[in-house]
Amino acid sequence: MFVVDDESDPEDFRIQVEVVGDCGRLLLDDPPYPEGLTRAISLTSDDAILGHKVRRLEARVAVDDGEVIHALHRAGYRREGRLRQAGSRGDGWMDEFVYSRLATDEIYTRTGHTGMLDSVLPTKRVISHVLVHDGVGRVLMCETTYKPDWELPGGVVEPVESPHAGAVRECREELGVTIDIPATPVLIDWMPPALGWSDAIEFIYDAGVVEPSLAAIMNPADGEIGHLHWVDPADVPAHVTELSARRIAAILADSTPRATENGFSL
């Protein structure tokens, strides 16, 4: 292990990089920080990567330390996550953000800047579900193995996957068949935080009446699905959350594509 110092600031502010192998960790003196904090972090990081062949640099900062966070952003560091109660302050604990910069990262380019922004801007879960009917008006519901309430076929959309592609994939994985799903969702709903989940955006597609021959070969093809049920609309609320019941009832009453929040019209 060795230490790289940047003591160029007239206030004798130090930025150190503790290096073990080809990985380093950025360490800053306590505030007050100098006016040239961004420049100091950039020069120290460049020196560690170019001069000392460091492959990865890591920095941890209190989530409310806006000055250091801003400087890390401008120096090309990307946020990797949040560590809960990872640092101490006074008599309590504080959360910390983890940032990193790799030797292979683009830094002083537009792509580097947008890559940094992509790591820090808010993200939301995207969920796709599909409403499927049989010939007598019943709705297909999935009884899950991990919670008491039932769901429409579907689930969480994967990264870099469109909501429609996610709907097709989830139905195939859960039902064992490929369903013809229209391109336009019948409902786009914002879901508020609940049950430990953060908020999310849900796309619900109305696939209409499924062919009897296709319905006959549907089966729980995923370990998270215990049973499939064709449920009369009047019985749906007994098996789903209040939010799901609102949305399903709204779609069955009016199939006009629209957006809602928490299952209510705007």
Tab-separated table of all heavy atoms in Angstrom, residues 199-253:
chain	number	residue	atom	x	y	z
A	199	ASP	N	-41.706	3.800	-5.369
A	199	ASP	CA	-42.750	3.979	-6.375
A	199	ASP	C	-42.331	3.338	-7.694
A	199	ASP	O	-41.179	2.955	-7.896
A	199	ASP	CB	-43.086	5.465	-6.562
A	199	ASP	CG	-41.939	6.261	-7.159
A	199	ASP	OD1	-40.773	5.863	-6.983
A	199	ASP	OD2	-42.197	7.288	-7.804
A	200	ALA	N	-43.300	3.202	-8.606
A	200	ALA	CA	-43.048	2.522	-9.880
A	200	ALA	C	-44.038	3.009	-10.927
A	200	ALA	O	-45.060	3.624	-10.615
A	200	ALA	CB	-43.165	1.004	-9.710
A	201	ILE	N	-43.729	2.710	-12.169
A	201	ILE	CA	-44.628	2.959	-13.289
A	201	ILE	C	-45.068	1.607	-13.829
A	201	ILE	O	-44.237	0.735	-14.106
A	201	ILE	CB	-43.939	3.758	-14.414
A	201	ILE	CG1	-43.441	5.110	-13.893
A	201	ILE	CG2	-44.899	3.954	-15.584
A	201	ILE	CD1	-44.539	6.052	-13.462
A	202	GLU	N	-46.374	1.419	-13.973
A	202	GLU	CA	-46.886	0.142	-14.477
A	202	GLU	C	-47.613	0.337	-15.797
A	202	GLU	O	-48.427	1.249	-15.949
A	202	GLU	CB	-47.813	-0.516	-13.462
A	202	GLU	CG	-48.367	-1.841	-13.965
A	202	GLU	CD	-48.793	-2.779	-12.849
A	202	GLU	OE1	-48.433	-2.520	-11.690
A	202	GLU	OE2	-49.479	-3.770	-13.141
A	203	PHE	N	-47.297	-0.529	-16.737
A	203	PHE	CA	-47.973	-0.585	-18.025
A	203	PHE	C	-48.871	-1.812	-18.024
A	203	PHE	O	-48.410	-2.930	-17.775
A	203	PHE	CB	-46.958	-0.707	-19.170
A	203	PHE	CG	-46.085	0.504	-19.366
A	203	PHE	CD1	-45.045	0.789	-18.495
A	203	PHE	CD2	-46.298	1.356	-20.441
A	203	PHE	CE1	-44.240	1.901	-18.672
A	203	PHE	CE2	-45.502	2.475	-20.633
A	203	PHE	CZ	-44.468	2.745	-19.753
A	204	ILE	N	-50.167	-1.615	-18.301
A	204	ILE	CA	-51.105	-2.738	-18.373
A	204	ILE	C	-51.641	-2.817	-19.804
A	204	ILE	O	-52.160	-1.830	-20.348
A	204	ILE	CB	-52.262	-2.587	-17.373
A	204	ILE	CG1	-51.711	-2.447	-15.945
A	204	ILE	CG2	-53.198	-3.791	-17.456
A	204	ILE	CD1	-52.782	-2.286	-14.885
A	205	TYR	N	-51.511	-3.980	-20.399
A	205	TYR	CA	-51.965	-4.222	-21.765
A	205	TYR	C	-53.214	-5.083	-21.742
A	205	TYR	O	-53.343	-5.989	-20.914
A	205	TYR	CB	-50.867	-4.932	-22.572
A	205	TYR	CG	-49.594	-4.143	-22.706
A	205	TYR	CD1	-48.621	-4.190	-21.704
A	205	TYR	CD2	-49.352	-3.350	-23.817
A	205	TYR	CE1	-47.450	-3.461	-21.817
A	205	TYR	CE2	-48.172	-2.619	-23.938
A	205	TYR	CZ	-47.227	-2.678	-22.931
A	205	TYR	OH	-46.066	-1.956	-23.046
A	206	ASP	N	-54.146	-4.812	-22.643
A	206	ASP	CA	-55.367	-5.619	-22.763
A	206	ASP	C	-55.217	-6.523	-23.975
A	206	ASP	O	-55.296	-6.074	-25.121
A	206	ASP	CB	-56.587	-4.708	-22.908
A	206	ASP	CG	-57.896	-5.479	-22.834
A	206	ASP	OD1	-57.852	-6.731	-22.859
A	206	ASP	OD2	-58.959	-4.837	-22.752
A	207	ALA	N	-54.963	-7.802	-23.718
A	207	ALA	CA	-54.760	-8.773	-24.793
A	207	ALA	C	-56.058	-9.363	-25.303
A	207	ALA	O	-56.044	-10.215	-26.205
A	207	ALA	CB	-53.826	-9.885	-24.324
A	208	GLY	N	-57.192	-8.939	-24.738
A	208	GLY	CA	-58.489	-9.403	-25.236
A	208	GLY	C	-58.749	-10.857	-24.910
A	208	GLY	O	-58.221	-11.421	-23.946
A	209	VAL	N	-59.602	-11.481	-25.740
A	209	VAL	CA	-60.013	-12.880	-25.534
A	209	VAL	C	-58.962	-13.816	-26.118
A	209	VAL	O	-58.596	-13.701	-27.289
A	209	VAL	CB	-61.384	-13.149	-26.173
A	209	VAL	CG1	-61.766	-14.624	-26.020
A	209	VAL	CG2	-62.451	-12.260	-25.546
A	210	VAL	N	-58.481	-14.733	-25.313
A	210	VAL	CA	-57.476	-15.691	-25.765
A	210	VAL	C	-58.183	-16.863	-26.454
A	210	VAL	O	-59.290	-17.258	-26.074
A	210	VAL	CB	-56.633	-16.187	-24.582
A	210	VAL	CG1	-57.459	-17.032	-23.618
A	210	VAL	CG2	-55.420	-16.942	-25.068
A	211	GLU	N	-57.555	-17.411	-27.468
A	211	GLU	CA	-58.112	-18.566	-28.167
A	211	GLU	C	-58.240	-19.753	-27.215
A	211	GLU	O	-57.332	-20.006	-26.412
A	211	GLU	CB	-57.207	-18.954	-29.332
A	211	GLU	CG	-57.176	-17.966	-30.480
A	211	GLU	CD	-58.506	-17.948	-31.237
A	211	GLU	OE1	-59.211	-18.975	-31.221
A	211	GLU	OE2	-58.843	-16.903	-31.807
A	212	PRO	N	-59.359	-20.479	-27.263
A	212	PRO	CA	-59.533	-21.624	-26.358
A	212	PRO	C	-58.400	-22.642	-26.447
A	212	PRO	O	-58.000	-23.217	-25.433
A	212	PRO	CB	-60.860	-22.234	-26.822
A	212	PRO	CG	-61.601	-21.085	-27.432
A	212	PRO	CD	-60.563	-20.233	-28.081
A	213	SER	N	-57.876	-22.861	-27.654
A	213	SER	CA	-56.796	-23.838	-27.811
A	213	SER	C	-55.540	-23.388	-27.079
A	213	SER	O	-54.784	-24.205	-26.533
A	213	SER	CB	-56.495	-24.047	-29.298
A	213	SER	OG	-56.127	-22.810	-29.909
A	214	LEU	N	-55.309	-22.056	-27.046
A	214	LEU	CA	-54.152	-21.521	-26.336
A	214	LEU	C	-54.391	-21.562	-24.827
A	214	LEU	O	-53.489	-21.902	-24.052
A	214	LEU	CB	-53.869	-20.090	-26.794
A	214	LEU	CG	-52.532	-19.470	-26.363
A	214	LEU	CD1	-51.363	-20.264	-26.938
A	214	LEU	CD2	-52.453	-18.013	-26.808
A	215	ALA	N	-55.599	-21.224	-24.410
A	215	ALA	CA	-55.931	-21.249	-22.986
A	215	ALA	C	-55.788	-22.660	-22.410
A	215	ALA	O	-55.405	-22.835	-21.247
A	215	ALA	CB	-57.339	-20.726	-22.763
A	216	ALA	N	-56.069	-23.655	-23.245
A	216	ALA	CA	-56.039	-25.038	-22.775
A	216	ALA	C	-54.633	-25.511	-22.426
A	216	ALA	O	-54.475	-26.440	-21.616
A	216	ALA	CB	-56.640	-25.958	-23.836
A	217	ILE	N	-53.618	-24.914	-23.028
A	217	ILE	CA	-52.253	-25.381	-22.759
A	217	ILE	C	-51.490	-24.441	-21.814
A	217	ILE	O	-50.317	-24.656	-21.541
A	217	ILE	CB	-51.455	-25.554	-24.071
A	217	ILE	CG1	-51.354	-24.221	-24.828
A	217	ILE	CG2	-52.091	-26.626	-24.936
A	217	ILE	CD1	-50.442	-24.313	-26.045
A	218	MET	N	-52.159	-23.396	-21.323
A	218	MET	CA	-51.509	-22.530	-20.342
A	218	MET	C	-51.293	-23.296	-19.046
A	218	MET	O	-52.159	-24.065	-18.608
A	218	MET	CB	-52.370	-21.300	-20.046
A	218	MET	CG	-52.429	-20.290	-21.150
A	218	MET	SD	-53.480	-18.875	-20.651
A	218	MET	CE	-53.339	-17.835	-22.103
A	219	ASN	N	-50.134	-23.097	-18.452
A	219	ASN	CA	-49.853	-23.729	-17.164
A	219	ASN	C	-48.812	-22.904	-16.435
A	219	ASN	O	-48.053	-22.159	-17.052
A	219	ASN	CB	-49.349	-25.162	-17.362
A	219	ASN	CG	-48.027	-25.193	-18.130
A	219	ASN	OD1	-46.956	-25.078	-17.543
A	219	ASN	ND2	-48.104	-25.316	-19.454
A	220	PRO	N	-48.754	-22.992	-15.093
A	220	PRO	CA	-47.745	-22.236	-14.348
A	220	PRO	C	-46.343	-22.691	-14.757
A	220	PRO	O	-45.907	-23.780	-14.397
A	220	PRO	CB	-48.045	-22.566	-12.890
A	220	PRO	CG	-49.455	-23.037	-12.880
A	220	PRO	CD	-49.642	-23.736	-14.193
A	221	ALA	N	-45.671	-21.870	-15.519
A	221	ALA	CA	-44.359	-22.248	-16.041
A	221	ALA	C	-43.216	-21.638	-15.240
A	221	ALA	O	-42.059	-21.827	-15.573
A	221	ALA	CB	-44.247	-21.824	-17.510
A	222	ASP	N	-43.549	-20.909	-14.204
A	222	ASP	CA	-42.558	-20.222	-13.370
A	222	ASP	C	-42.741	-20.674	-11.933
A	222	ASP	O	-43.872	-20.869	-11.466
A	222	ASP	CB	-42.755	-18.702	-13.489
A	222	ASP	CG	-41.659	-17.903	-12.803
A	222	ASP	OD1	-41.533	-18.025	-11.570
A	222	ASP	OD2	-40.947	-17.159	-13.482
A	223	GLY	N	-41.626	-20.834	-11.206
A	223	GLY	CA	-41.710	-21.295	-9.824
A	223	GLY	C	-42.440	-20.349	-8.899
A	223	GLY	O	-42.872	-20.748	-7.818
A	224	GLU	N	-42.572	-19.066	-9.307
A	224	GLU	CA	-43.277	-18.097	-8.476
A	224	GLU	C	-44.793	-18.158	-8.668
A	224	GLU	O	-45.526	-17.497	-7.945
A	224	GLU	CB	-42.781	-16.686	-8.791
A	224	GLU	CG	-41.318	-16.455	-8.417
A	224	GLU	CD	-40.865	-15.043	-8.698
A	224	GLU	OE1	-41.608	-14.312	-9.406
A	224	GLU	OE2	-39.791	-14.648	-8.209
A	225	ILE	N	-45.251	-18.919	-9.660
A	225	ILE	CA	-46.685	-19.046	-9.934
A	225	ILE	C	-47.167	-20.412	-9.477
A	225	ILE	O	-46.703	-21.444	-9.959
A	225	ILE	CB	-46.990	-18.861	-11.446
A	225	ILE	CG1	-46.368	-17.564	-11.955
A	225	ILE	CG2	-48.492	-18.880	-11.688
A	225	ILE	CD1	-46.844	-16.317	-11.260
A	226	GLY	N	-48.092	-20.417	-8.505
A	226	GLY	CA	-48.616	-21.677	-7.998
A	226	GLY	C	-49.760	-22.220	-8.832
A	226	GLY	O	-49.783	-23.402	-9.183
A	227	HIS	N	-50.729	-21.330	-9.154
A	227	HIS	CA	-51.905	-21.756	-9.915
A	227	HIS	C	-52.374	-20.618	-10.808
A	227	HIS	O	-52.121	-19.439	-10.537
A	227	HIS	CB	-53.055	-22.167	-8.979
A	227	HIS	CG	-52.707	-23.284	-8.042
A	227	HIS	ND1	-52.708	-24.608	-8.418
A	227	HIS	CD2	-52.335	-23.259	-6.723
A	227	HIS	CE1	-52.362	-25.354	-7.388
A	227	HIS	NE2	-52.129	-24.565	-6.351
A	228	LEU	N	-53.070	-20.978	-11.885
A	228	LEU	CA	-53.739	-20.014	-12.746
A	228	LEU	C	-55.234	-20.133	-12.518
A	228	LEU	O	-55.760	-21.235	-12.352
A	228	LEU	CB	-53.413	-20.284	-14.213
A	228	LEU	CG	-51.935	-20.258	-14.616
A	228	LEU	CD1	-51.778	-20.569	-16.108
A	228	LEU	CD2	-51.307	-18.916	-14.283
A	229	HIS	N	-55.920	-18.988	-12.491
A	229	HIS	CA	-57.357	-18.988	-12.238
A	229	HIS	C	-58.065	-18.078	-13.240
A	229	HIS	O	-57.580	-16.971	-13.531
A	229	HIS	CB	-57.659	-18.475	-10.822
A	229	HIS	CG	-56.995	-19.249	-9.723
A	229	HIS	ND1	-57.537	-20.401	-9.193
A	229	HIS	CD2	-55.838	-19.025	-9.049
A	229	HIS	CE1	-56.736	-20.854	-8.231
A	229	HIS	NE2	-55.701	-20.039	-8.133
A	230	TRP	N	-59.204	-18.539	-13.738
A	230	TRP	CA	-60.092	-17.662	-14.502
A	230	TRP	C	-61.135	-17.139	-13.526
A	230	TRP	O	-61.896	-17.900	-12.931
A	230	TRP	CB	-60.756	-18.427	-15.651
A	230	TRP	CG	-59.780	-18.808	-16.739
A	230	TRP	CD1	-59.197	-20.016	-16.937
A	230	TRP	CD2	-59.279	-17.940	-17.759
A	230	TRP	NE1	-58.357	-19.978	-18.021
A	230	TRP	CE2	-58.382	-18.711	-18.551
A	230	TRP	CE3	-59.485	-16.598	-18.083
A	230	TRP	CZ2	-57.708	-18.177	-19.640
A	230	TRP	CZ3	-58.806	-16.067	-19.171
A	230	TRP	CH2	-57.939	-16.851	-19.934
A	231	VAL	N	-61.129	-15.831	-13.324
A	231	VAL	CA	-61.912	-15.232	-12.240
A	231	VAL	C	-62.984	-14.313	-12.803
A	231	VAL	O	-62.716	-13.475	-13.678
A	231	VAL	CB	-60.995	-14.427	-11.296
A	231	VAL	CG1	-61.784	-13.862	-10.123
A	231	VAL	CG2	-59.841	-15.306	-10.793
A	232	ASP	N	-64.191	-14.453	-12.281
A	232	ASP	CA	-65.261	-13.539	-12.655
A	232	ASP	C	-64.919	-12.135	-12.148
A	232	ASP	O	-64.415	-11.991	-11.029
A	232	ASP	CB	-66.588	-14.012	-12.040
A	232	ASP	CG	-67.763	-13.195	-12.527
A	232	ASP	OD1	-68.028	-12.133	-11.922
A	232	ASP	OD2	-68.405	-13.617	-13.499
A	233	PRO	N	-65.167	-11.099	-12.954
A	233	PRO	CA	-64.815	-9.730	-12.523
A	233	PRO	C	-65.344	-9.361	-11.143
A	233	PRO	O	-64.673	-8.632	-10.398
A	233	PRO	CB	-65.431	-8.857	-13.612
A	233	PRO	CG	-65.402	-9.709	-14.832
A	233	PRO	CD	-65.685	-11.108	-14.341
A	234	ALA	N	-66.520	-9.858	-10.789
A	234	ALA	CA	-67.089	-9.529	-9.480
A	234	ALA	C	-66.279	-10.133	-8.337
A	234	ALA	O	-66.335	-9.640	-7.198
A	234	ALA	CB	-68.536	-10.011	-9.407
A	235	ASP	N	-65.519	-11.189	-8.619
A	235	ASP	CA	-64.748	-11.869	-7.578
A	235	ASP	C	-63.297	-11.398	-7.513
A	235	ASP	O	-62.558	-11.784	-6.604
A	235	ASP	CB	-64.774	-13.384	-7.823
A	235	ASP	CG	-66.178	-13.960	-7.715
A	235	ASP	OD1	-66.976	-13.421	-6.918
A	235	ASP	OD2	-66.478	-14.929	-8.440
A	236	VAL	N	-62.878	-10.574	-8.469
A	236	VAL	CA	-61.485	-10.129	-8.512
A	236	VAL	C	-61.066	-9.410	-7.227
A	236	VAL	O	-59.998	-9.686	-6.668
A	236	VAL	CB	-61.226	-9.242	-9.749
A	236	VAL	CG1	-59.882	-8.515	-9.631
A	236	VAL	CG2	-61.261	-10.075	-11.021
A	237	PRO	N	-61.862	-8.462	-6.691
A	237	PRO	CA	-61.418	-7.732	-5.486
A	237	PRO	C	-61.097	-8.617	-4.291
A	237	PRO	O	-60.313	-8.211	-3.425
A	237	PRO	CB	-62.603	-6.814	-5.183
A	237	PRO	CG	-63.272	-6.611	-6.509
A	237	PRO	CD	-63.147	-7.931	-7.201
A	238	ALA	N	-61.664	-9.804	-4.231
A	238	ALA	CA	-61.403	-10.691	-3.093
A	238	ALA	C	-60.007	-11.290	-3.144
A	238	ALA	O	-59.537	-11.843	-2.138
A	238	ALA	CB	-62.449	-11.814	-3.062
A	239	HIS	N	-59.332	-11.196	-4.285
A	239	HIS	CA	-58.040	-11.866	-4.449
A	239	HIS	C	-56.857	-10.931	-4.710
A	239	HIS	O	-55.717	-11.392	-4.742
A	239	HIS	CB	-58.136	-12.865	-5.612
A	239	HIS	CG	-59.175	-13.924	-5.421
A	239	HIS	ND1	-59.037	-14.947	-4.501
A	239	HIS	CD2	-60.382	-14.107	-6.023
A	239	HIS	CE1	-60.111	-15.726	-4.553
A	239	HIS	NE2	-60.940	-15.237	-5.460
A	240	VAL	N	-57.132	-9.649	-4.904
A	240	VAL	CA	-56.055	-8.724	-5.274
A	240	VAL	C	-56.023	-7.539	-4.315
A	240	VAL	O	-56.914	-7.363	-3.484
A	240	VAL	CB	-56.236	-8.216	-6.730
A	240	VAL	CG1	-56.260	-9.382	-7.704
A	240	VAL	CG2	-57.500	-7.368	-6.862
A	241	THR	N	-54.988	-6.718	-4.435
A	241	THR	CA	-54.909	-5.502	-3.627
A	241	THR	C	-55.967	-4.506	-4.093
A	241	THR	O	-56.516	-4.623	-5.199
A	241	THR	CB	-53.524	-4.858	-3.761
A	241	THR	OG1	-53.326	-4.436	-5.120
A	241	THR	CG2	-52.421	-5.839	-3.362
A	242	GLU	N	-56.240	-3.518	-3.251
A	242	GLU	CA	-57.217	-2.494	-3.624
A	242	GLU	C	-56.788	-1.759	-4.892
A	242	GLU	O	-57.619	-1.433	-5.737
A	242	GLU	CB	-57.397	-1.494	-2.482
A	242	GLU	CG	-58.079	-2.080	-1.247
A	242	GLU	CD	-58.307	-1.018	-0.179
A	242	GLU	OE1	-58.042	0.180	-0.457
A	242	GLU	OE2	-58.755	-1.377	0.925
A	243	LEU	N	-55.484	-1.509	-5.025
A	243	LEU	CA	-54.991	-0.827	-6.221
A	243	LEU	C	-55.233	-1.662	-7.461
A	243	LEU	O	-55.736	-1.155	-8.478
A	243	LEU	CB	-53.494	-0.534	-6.067
A	243	LEU	CG	-52.786	0.009	-7.313
A	243	LEU	CD1	-53.442	1.287	-7.809
A	243	LEU	CD2	-51.302	0.234	-7.025
A	244	SER	N	-54.908	-2.952	-7.423
A	244	SER	CA	-55.146	-3.818	-8.581
A	244	SER	C	-56.626	-3.908	-8.911
A	244	SER	O	-57.015	-3.889	-10.083
A	244	SER	CB	-54.584	-5.222	-8.315
A	244	SER	OG	-53.178	-5.209	-8.265
A	245	ALA	N	-57.450	-3.986	-7.882
A	245	ALA	CA	-58.898	-4.065	-8.121
A	245	ALA	C	-59.396	-2.802	-8.822
A	245	ALA	O	-60.210	-2.881	-9.753
A	245	ALA	CB	-59.631	-4.266	-6.799
A	246	ARG	N	-58.929	-1.628	-8.390
A	246	ARG	CA	-59.338	-0.370	-9.035
A	246	ARG	C	-58.950	-0.360	-10.505
A	246	ARG	O	-59.729	0.028	-11.371
A	246	ARG	CB	-58.691	0.831	-8.326
A	246	ARG	CG	-59.372	1.303	-7.091
A	246	ARG	CD	-58.945	2.718	-6.711
A	246	ARG	NE	-57.524	2.860	-6.486
A	246	ARG	CZ	-56.919	2.597	-5.332
A	246	ARG	NH1	-57.629	2.138	-4.310
A	246	ARG	NH2	-55.618	2.773	-5.185
A	247	ARG	N	-57.748	-0.768	-10.775
A	247	ARG	CA	-57.259	-0.692	-12.150
A	247	ARG	C	-57.965	-1.694	-13.065
A	247	ARG	O	-58.309	-1.374	-14.196
A	247	ARG	CB	-55.743	-0.903	-12.174
A	247	ARG	CG	-55.005	0.202	-11.437
A	247	ARG	CD	-53.513	0.143	-11.634
A	247	ARG	NE	-52.930	-1.119	-11.220
A	247	ARG	CZ	-51.645	-1.271	-10.933
A	247	ARG	NH1	-50.821	-0.234	-11.033
A	247	ARG	NH2	-51.165	-2.436	-10.562
A	248	ILE	N	-58.141	-2.902	-12.587
A	248	ILE	CA	-58.815	-3.905	-13.411
A	248	ILE	C	-60.257	-3.489	-13.684
A	248	ILE	O	-60.748	-3.585	-14.818
A	248	ILE	CB	-58.757	-5.288	-12.732
A	248	ILE	CG1	-57.299	-5.783	-12.695
A	248	ILE	CG2	-59.650	-6.292	-13.460
A	248	ILE	CD1	-57.112	-7.038	-11.877
A	249	ALA	N	-60.937	-2.990	-12.661
A	249	ALA	CA	-62.320	-2.536	-12.844
A	249	ALA	C	-62.382	-1.379	-13.831
A	249	ALA	O	-63.292	-1.307	-14.672
A	249	ALA	CB	-62.919	-2.124	-11.503
A	250	ALA	N	-61.407	-0.464	-13.760
A	250	ALA	CA	-61.388	0.688	-14.669
A	250	ALA	C	-61.201	0.247	-16.104
A	250	ALA	O	-61.844	0.775	-17.029
A	250	ALA	CB	-60.276	1.647	-14.258
A	251	ILE	N	-60.338	-0.729	-16.339
A	251	ILE	CA	-60.099	-1.216	-17.698
A	251	ILE	C	-61.328	-1.944	-18.240
A	251	ILE	O	-61.716	-1.764	-19.400
A	251	ILE	CB	-58.867	-2.145	-17.723
A	251	ILE	CG1	-57.605	-1.351	-17.371
A	251	ILE	CG2	-58.710	-2.802	-19.092
A	251	ILE	CD1	-56.380	-2.217	-17.139
A	252	LEU	N	-61.945	-2.770	-17.403
A	252	LEU	CA	-63.122	-3.509	-17.854
A	252	LEU	C	-64.291	-2.572	-18.149
A	252	LEU	O	-65.117	-2.844	-19.029
A	252	LEU	CB	-63.534	-4.533	-16.793
A	252	LEU	CG	-62.540	-5.680	-16.554
A	252	LEU	CD1	-63.022	-6.566	-15.415
A	252	LEU	CD2	-62.341	-6.504	-17.827
A	253	ALA	N	-64.342	-1.444	-17.448
A	253	ALA	CA	-65.426	-0.485	-17.675
A	253	ALA	C	-65.180	0.395	-18.879
A	253	ALA	O	-66.123	0.849	-19.539
A	253	ALA	CB	-65.623	0.380	-16.431
